[in-house]
Amino acid sequence: MAVLSDQGQHCQVALCHQRDFLPFTCDMCKGTFCLDHYRYSSHSCPKAGGIDNRALVCPLCSKGIKMIPGEDPNLTWERHVQDGCAPSPGTSPGKKAKCPVPGCREALTSSGSVTCGRCGLKTCLKHRFEEDHNC
């Protein structure tokens, strides 16, 4: 007997039957499928009719907005704004924080910034030392 010939499972799609050593199990119909057929639409899942999990991410408040199947995304967006979309405090859309050192235009990102332990000023990595940012 060949090594691993008794391992894995066959894809349940009629024209496939590929043996897969890491098969996927559909959470709706409980069938076993290969990488090519694990999506609901790929194996024509009979129990997944009408399931649509798409969402928009609001650029103002960074919250996920569930898309309603068949509805215009613009209507979904307008409803979200009317229901009280509030921008995150201290941020404005499209405006990134910049290094406060005169002449520096570096954006302050979570991995590209340092808060000075002495004065508490948030600067870019280039100006992280006390002598570089008028501490």
Side-chain angles (χ1 to χ4, degrees):
M1 184 176 240
V3 176
L4 299 176
S5 64
D6 60 339
Q7 300 296 314
Q9 294 178 329
H10 289 281
C11 178
Q12 291 183 346
V13 173
L15 297 175
C16 182
H17 291 293
Q18 176 182 354
R19 181 180 294 270
D20 198 331
F21 295 104
L22 295 171
F24 293 89
T25 302
C26 177
D27 60 340
M28 298 301 286
C29 67
K30 307 299 182 215
T32 304
F33 303 98
C34 65
L35 180 64
D36 295 332
H37 299 110
Y38 76 96
R39 290 186 179 89
Y40 299 140
S41 59
S42 298
H43 68 267
S44 302
C45 185
K47 296 186 178 181
I51 292 181
D52 191 359
N53 294 327
R54 291 184 293 165
L56 294 170
V57 177
C58 177
L60 301 175
C61 66
S62 300
K63 292 182 181 175
I65 308 164
K66 183 170 173 51
M67 298 278 298
I68 297 172
E71 184 179 59
D72 183 23
N74 293 323
L75 293 174
T76 305
W77 169 257
E78 288 175 14
R79 186 176 347 98
H80 169 70
V81 172
Q82 290 174 356
D83 287 346
C85 170
S88 301
T91 62
S92 60
K95 193 84 169 178
K96 302 276 186 203
K98 302 280 185 202
C99 180
V101 175
C104 184
R105 300 175 62 191
E106 189 70 30
L108 297 178
T109 61
S110 60
S111 63
S113 62
V114 174
T115 303
C116 179
R118 185 170 171 207
C119 67
L121 188 66
K122 189 172 184 179
T123 64
C124 68
L125 295 176
K126 183 178 178 183
H127 298 107
R128 68 185 177 271
F129 299 114
E130 295 173 5
E131 60 270 8
D132 292 332
H133 68 265
N134 298 328
C135 188

